[in-house]
Amino acid sequence: EPEVTQTPSHQVTQMGQEVILRCVPISNHLYFYWYRQILGQKVEFLVSFYNNEISEKSEIFDDQFSVERPDGSNFTLKIRSTKLEDSAMYFCASSLWGNQPQHFGDGTRLSIL
Amino acid sequence: DQQVKQNSPSLSVQEGRISILNCDYTNSMFDYFLWYKKYPAEGPTFLISISSIKDKNEDGRFTVFLNKSAKHLSLHIVPSQPGDSAVYFCAASGSNNAGNMLTFGGGTRLMVKP
């Protein structure tokens, strides 16, 4: 069964450094998403992306965050200058159409020191 | 943000019995609901969904019931198996969201005892 893949599985970064999290969505899916889960808290929506542009973003997704689909397969989340509170599991998801089930990758654990 | 709530943090069930997981929501604009299962160190795995035009959807051992007037949905697993032990999340979205944002509940940890 096709799946969403995320790399790396664990990223350790110094505060203030830039980090890029990578995702390969399911190949025929058209909608792409990033969520995060801080330890002990709910899964929170960050951003959705369709047709090469952001379709919705949450309050969390401020100017320090950006997303990109640099080629036909990858979908990336960049955090420009990381803060301690960015430490979380980051999940990428994709769906075939808008109101269809979103399928999640296994996440990247981001640890900011 | 308490738009989607799962009031039971954990549930323990004997193998072969029914597991019933509950979820409440407050946002009347939600019209699409999903259940996900999550094992440690893995991402959420989609189980079953229901749109607000239906009140029941069934897929094998999994059935989701939606009570719109009560803003309540439940997931029934029957018969429960030890491999069903995981954290279960309900999630909701509204067609008024251009970006199909999912709002998640806090999860219920299901333990199925052999």
Side-chain angles (χ1 to χ4, degrees), chain A residues 39-93:
Chain A
L39 188 64
Q41 297 186 24
K42 290 184 177 184
V43 176
E44 302 172 289
F45 170 80
L46 292 178
V47 66
S48 58
F49 191 85
Y50 168 70
N51 199 26
N52 276 322
E53 60 183 30
I54 290 173
S55 45
E56 189 173 10
K57 60 183 180 179
S58 70
E59 291 176 355
I60 303 166
F61 195 88
D62 61 21
D63 292 345
Q64 292 301 311
F65 290 86
S66 62
V67 288
E68 192 178 29
R69 188 155 164 81
D71 53 43
S73 60
N74 290 283
F75 180 52
T76 62
L77 174 70
K78 182 195 291 186
I79 309 174
R80 229 177 309 279
S81 177
T82 49
K83 303 188 276 285
L84 293 175
E85 53 265 37
D86 294 327
S87 295
M89 281 292 289
Y90 286 80
F91 294 106
C92 173

Side-chain angles (χ1 to χ4, degrees), chain A residues 11-15 17-19 82 110-113:
Chain A
Q11 174 80 46
V12 182
T13 301
Q14 290 288 332
M15 186 172 61
Q17 295 295 304
E18 175 184 285
V19 68
T82 49
L110 178 62
S111 300
I112 307 300
L113 303 178

Side-chain angles (χ1 to χ4, degrees), chain B residues 14-50:
Chain B
Q14 205 66 37
E15 181 179 6
R17 299 288 183 97
I18 185 171
S19 296
I20 300 176
L21 299 116
N22 294 301
C23 179
D24 296 294
Y25 62 96
T26 56
N27 189 337
S28 57
M29 300 304 291
F30 287 150
D31 57 11
Y32 183 58
F33 304 90
L34 309 92
W35 283 95
Y36 286 86
K37 175 171 76 172
K38 188 180 181 303
Y39 294 119
E42 294 185 12
T45 299
F46 169 71
L47 279 176
I48 192 167
S49 62
I50 188 167

Side-chain angles (χ1 to χ4, degrees), chain A residues 31 33 35 37 41-45 48-49 55-56 58 89 91 95 97-107, chain B residues 1-5 31-32 34 36 38 41-44 46 49 89 93 95 97-102 104-106:
Chain A
Y31 288 77
Y33 313 86
Y35 292 80
Q37 187 177 28
Q41 297 186 24
K42 290 184 177 184
V43 176
E44 302 172 289
F45 170 80
S48 58
F49 191 85
S55 45
E56 189 173 10
S58 70
M89 281 292 289
F91 294 106
S95 65
W97 290 108
N99 227 18
Q100 291 282 302
Q102 296 177 24
H103 296 269
F104 286 75
D106 284 341
Chain B
D1 178 4
Q2 295 291 317
Q3 293 190 76
V4 179
K5 283 181 76 172
D31 57 11
Y32 183 58
L34 309 92
Y36 286 86
K38 188 180 181 303
E42 294 185 12
F46 169 71
S49 62
F89 293 97
S93 72
S95 49
N97 288 131
N100 314 300
M101 165 184 123
L102 290 180
F104 280 82

Side-chain angles (χ1 to χ4, degrees), chain B residues 33-82:
Chain B
F33 304 90
L34 309 92
W35 283 95
Y36 286 86
K37 175 171 76 172
K38 188 180 181 303
Y39 294 119
E42 294 185 12
T45 299
F46 169 71
L47 279 176
I48 192 167
S49 62
I50 188 167
S51 79
S52 58
I53 62 172
K54 300 174 86 172
D55 54 19
K56 177 182 173 181
N57 190 25
E58 195 171 349
D59 183 2
R61 296 187 297 116
F62 302 93
T63 303
V64 56
F65 296 91
L66 176 62
N67 181 335
K68 289 185 287 294
S69 60
K71 293 192 176 67
H72 177 84
L73 64 153
S74 61
L75 174 68
H76 292 210
I77 307 172
V78 56
S80 302
Q81 298 172 354

